[in-house]
Amino acid sequence: MSTSIKQPQVITCKAAVAWGAGQPLVVEEVEVNPPQPEEIRIKVVCTSLCRSDITAWETQAIFPRIFGHEASGIVESVGPGITEFNEGDHVLTVFIGECKTCRQCKSDKSNTCEVLGLERRGVMHSDQQTRFSIKGKPVYHYCAVSSFSEYTVVHSGCAVKVSSIAPLEKICLLSCGLSAGLGAAWNVADISKGSTVVIFGLGTVGLSVAQGAKVRGASRIIGVDTNPEKCEKAKAFGVTEFLNPNDNNEPVQQVIKRITDGGADYSFECIGDTGMITTALQSCCDGWGLAVTLGVPKLKPEVAAHYGLFLSGRTLKGSLFGGWKPKTDLPSLVNRYLKKEFMVDEFITHNLLFEDINQAFNLMKEGKCLRSVIHMPK
């Protein structure tokens, strides 16, 4: 008796395609190839817009392209040799993977996989090709995820199987920004009880740092932002004091040093401005002050700081995805959310239909949202 195994076929679906830097996205019919070895194809359920999508859309030169990397979905099909995933599994996509075999993955000191690290060229990790096309011409990926599409193909190492009872329309936020902030507070800085924390930039990442600091028992959490509307909102996430640099006649780092009697124990740069990294360092105390940078800069990637800041004992650390190893750590983080150990739902300020995706871009550019969740067609 012969048995036949159903082979995945090319899917035609809708995707929001960026045709040029800063140009509004256009919902187009795209073809999505079947998953290849070590890949899975996902039906995207919800995707949220992250600031780094906007930064890349405005500044990078790879087009046409499908952006989006913060997403939840359901496995539609699996490529040859895949045993970890089955059709119907609920998953989060991740912009850095975990192969579990490279030197970095085997180390408890790192989460930057050597095999499935940040993909910048708009192609798949495995064969440097795209899985999207329009009329036979390639459409490029973003961060090897491309979730602004009804279906997408990702490397199996860039997807995380999660509990099927977790609401996909909420946990998509844990795919990037919210996890990045919590992890920066818990893993990278390892904030101690009773400490003083200052956070530059009160978007989703900065407010996630704030709630991470609150959970750890920080006594003072000072939020710094030039948008006065952030003041009241930030208190709900744990910020105890708000500073608007435009309201002071002296540099904000001097204000912080004065009101904290010499500087904060920890500072976090969540803006994506390398000039603010220096300010964050200057806002820390001598001896043990730790500055963590999380933002992705649009311009001027070089960091400049006086060597005296380091001689006095300060430390500057970078943070990618909050130090989480995605496959190892994200399932338990989702379970902690289900136990209400931290807030996720409160970050969602807008729920939008897929055809209104450009509204999400406008809301974020205008500073009128934390996270817009884009609901894909059922």
Side-chain angles (χ1 to χ4, degrees):
M1 185 176 70
S2 64
T3 59
S4 62
I5 298 173
K6 187 180 74 171
Q7 297 295 328
Q9 303 297 311
V10 173
I11 284 177
T12 299
C13 70
K14 287 185 165 55
V17 179
W19 290 95
Q23 295 180 17
L25 308 188
V26 181
V27 177
E28 307 269 16
E29 290 246 315
V30 301
E31 291 190 332
V32 187
N33 285 348
Q36 299 302 302
E38 300 187 307
E39 296 174 359
I40 61 175
R41 189 161 58 190
I42 297 169
K43 177 177 173 55
V44 178
V45 173
C46 283
T47 179
S48 38
L49 178 62
C50 179
R51 173 67 67 175
S52 54
D53 287 303
I54 288 189
T55 300
W57 167 69
E58 290 178 333
T59 61
Q60 293 185 10
I62 304 171
F63 295 100
R65 199 170 197 185
I66 298 172
F67 285 101
H69 63 284
E70 199 173 82
S72 58
I74 298 171
V75 176
E76 176 270 338
S77 57
V78 301
I82 293 289
T83 57
E84 179 187 357
F85 295 98
N86 294 299
E87 291 178 20
D89 285 346
H90 287 207
V91 294
L92 291 177
T93 60
V94 281
F95 67 94
I96 55 166
E98 182 182 354
C99 75
K100 296 194 173 185
T101 59
C102 73
R103 178 188 178 194
Q104 298 283 331
C105 283
K106 286 180 176 178
S107 169
D108 60 3
K109 299 176 182 178
S110 172
N111 70 333
T112 56
C113 177
E114 292 174 346
V115 180
L116 301 171
L118 198 55
E119 207 299 306
R120 301 176 186 273
R121 289 176 290 183
V123 292
M124 295 297 291
H125 285 99
S126 51
D127 62 2
Q128 307 299 298
Q129 302 293 315
T130 73
R131 300 290 177 264
F132 297 107
S133 61
I134 294 178
K135 296 177 181 174
K137 295 186 177 179
V139 177
Y140 293 96
H141 299 247
Y142 177 63
C143 285
V145 174
S146 293
S147 56
F148 295 164
S149 173
E150 291 181 276
Y151 290 86
T152 189
V153 176
V154 303
H155 193 287
S156 62
C158 295
V160 179
K161 185 176 176 179
V162 295
S163 168
S164 60
I165 66 170
L168 293 172
E169 72 277 10
K170 310 289 188 186
I171 63 168
C172 55
L173 272 63
L174 291 171
S175 174
C176 178
L178 216 153
S179 297
L182 287 172
W186 294 343
N187 303 327
V188 180
D190 193 15
I191 288 173
S192 56
K193 188 175 181 179
S195 56
T196 298
V197 176
V198 60
I199 302 164
F200 295 88
L202 298 177
T204 295
V205 173
L207 293 176
S208 298
V209 172
Q211 74 160 333
K214 180 182 179 181
V215 169
R216 279 293 179 89
S219 60
R220 294 177 75 182
I221 304 171
I222 303 165
V224 182
D225 204 292
T226 55
N227 183 349
E229 294 180 12
K230 297 281 181 76
C231 179
E232 285 306 312
K233 294 176 183 175
K235 290 178 182 175
F237 296 94
V239 171
T240 58
E241 300 156 69
F242 179 81
L243 284 177
N244 185 337
N246 296 333
D247 293 343
N248 296 283
N249 295 323
E250 58 182 326
V252 69
Q253 61 267 36
Q254 292 181 16
V255 176
I256 291 163
K257 293 199 79 167
R258 176 164 46 78
I259 66 174
T260 59
D261 191 25
D265 299 296
Y266 308 94
S267 68
F268 296 83
E269 185 281 316
C270 305
I271 298 170
D273 179 342
T274 48
M276 292 306 297
I277 295 175
T278 306
T279 302
L281 268 169
Q282 293 169 333
S283 301
C284 287
C285 64
D286 288 345
W288 61 82
L290 171 63
V292 180
T293 178
L294 296 86
V296 179
K298 278 189 189 179
L299 306 166
K300 192 178 171 288
E302 296 82 12
V303 176
H306 194 282
Y307 77 99
L309 292 170
F310 302 106
L311 284 182
S312 65
R314 291 172 179 82
T315 301
L316 174 64
K317 292 186 79 172
S319 176
L320 183 67
F321 196 50
W324 302 111
K325 290 180 182 287
K327 283 186 178 294
T328 300
D329 298 327
L330 269 190
S332 60
L333 196 62
V334 169
N335 291 335
R336 291 180 71 174
Y337 156 69
L338 291 173
K339 294 176 185 174
K340 296 184 166 55
E341 293 183 20
F342 56 86
M343 298 188 295
V344 172
D345 305 22
E346 292 80 1
F347 285 87
I348 301 170
T349 52
H350 298 80
N351 284 281
L352 301 172
L353 297 174
F354 182 43
E355 56 260 36
D356 298 323
I357 191 167
N358 285 303
Q359 186 183 342
F361 278 70
N362 292 334
L363 286 165
M364 184 167 277
K365 286 195 293 180
E366 294 165 7
K368 294 180 178 177
C369 74
L370 287 175
R371 276 295 188 265
S372 294
V373 172
I374 297 142
H375 296 255
M376 307 304 286
K378 291 275 190 272

